[in-house]
Amino acid sequence: MPQDHPTDNPILNAARRELAEHAKATAPLCTANDAYNGPARIVSINTSEHKGTRKSPVADGRDTVIEQFGLATDAHAGHWHRQVSLLAAESIQTAQARGLDVHEGDFGENFTTRGINLLSLPLGTQLKLGSEVLVEISQIGKVCHTRCAIYYLAGDCIFPHEGVFGVVLKGGEVHIGDDIQVVKLGDGTCSFTPAEALEEIEQARQEGTL
């Protein structure tokens, strides 16, 4: 007759812990929906002189946003549909919980936000940043064609999943600590976003790579 295995087996318990730790370490990075506690505000403004690099928080905590262009001092600004990028501080904390030494701007976002679930907002949603700037959400997520160092360290990168892009409808000054207000909820479309960009995102989601 088969012998019963003891339920408290140190070897089996150690194997289970190792499997659980491995599963946790390799699971896709994903921020819980209940992680966002208001009020919604900007906690960091980040720019870079060159594309493809991490961004650094602006020294004096403020910058100028130019209509239909983006942040005046940022390399990613331009006449396209991804003029500014936003990422929640809660998303950065998710990456930090995986053991990554990452901070505001390290994922390339222009605005690090807190207290607002950007992923719950459909395309076309208009956000007021501070008292002047108006941004329309033009893309949610991003397909990375090359893997960054963060991906190889953590097995995943959170910005492609949780980063948000926008087009500047109205420019002005922005400051760290500025409120973020949803002034118009979108209908899931954005006239500034090329169809091929949306198709690429949708295909990646269907394939499970985003």
Side-chain angles (χ1 to χ4, degrees):
M1 294 182 63
Q3 295 181 349
D4 293 334
H5 294 284
T7 57
D8 188 18
N9 186 311
I11 296 176
L12 288 176
N13 290 341
R16 292 189 186 102
R17 285 195 299 271
E18 184 174 347
L19 287 171
E21 291 172 1
H22 176 75
K24 181 179 179 181
T26 58
L29 291 169
C30 181
T31 304
N33 289 330
D34 60 357
Y36 307 92
N37 297 312
R41 64 190 186 280
I42 297 170
V43 295
S44 186
I45 303 168
N46 317 296
T47 62
S48 60
E49 294 182 0
H50 306 285
K51 293 183 178 181
T53 62
R54 295 181 177 185
K55 299 186 187 299
S56 300
V58 294
D60 55 0
R62 63 183 178 86
D63 207 338
T64 301
V65 182
I66 301 173
E67 184 175 327
Q68 288 299 329
F69 188 74
L71 278 166
T73 59
D74 187 60
H76 282 87
H79 300 288
W80 65 325
H81 72 289
R82 284 163 38 182
Q83 296 171 357
V84 294
S85 55
L86 304 92
L87 182 69
E90 292 84 353
S91 296
I92 297 175
Q93 291 171 344
T94 297
Q96 291 171 340
R98 184 68 66 88
L100 292 175
D101 183 19
V102 288
H103 305 279
E104 290 84 355
D106 284 349
F107 289 100
E109 81 278 5
N110 291 129
F111 297 108
T112 312
T113 66
R114 184 180 296 280
I116 180 171
N117 185 355
L118 299 169
L119 302 177
S120 68
L121 303 174
L123 292 184
T125 295
Q126 295 180 8
L127 302 173
K128 189 175 183 181
L129 310 182
S131 60
E132 299 177 331
V133 176
L134 189 64
V135 171
E136 181 172 322
I137 294 178
S138 58
Q139 183 174 313
I140 300 172
K142 173 189 175 185
V143 176
C144 286
H145 299 284
T146 57
R147 299 300 189 187
C148 63
I150 290 173
Y151 177 89
Y152 288 111
L153 285 171
D156 196 14
C157 180
I158 203 157
F159 190 86
H161 304 294
E162 302 189 4
V164 171
F165 297 92
V167 171
V168 181
L169 301 182
K170 182 183 178 183
E173 292 289 320
V174 286
H175 305 78
I176 291 175
D178 277 351
D179 292 336
I180 303 172
Q181 303 175 53
V182 176
V183 297
K184 179 183 177 183
L185 198 62
D187 62 0
T189 64
C190 176
S191 61
F192 300 100
T193 308
E196 56 267 26
L198 297 176
E199 290 169 0
E200 183 181 46
I201 292 286
E202 182 59 29
Q203 181 179 351
R205 288 192 175 125
Q206 291 179 359
E207 293 174 351
T209 57
L210 185 62

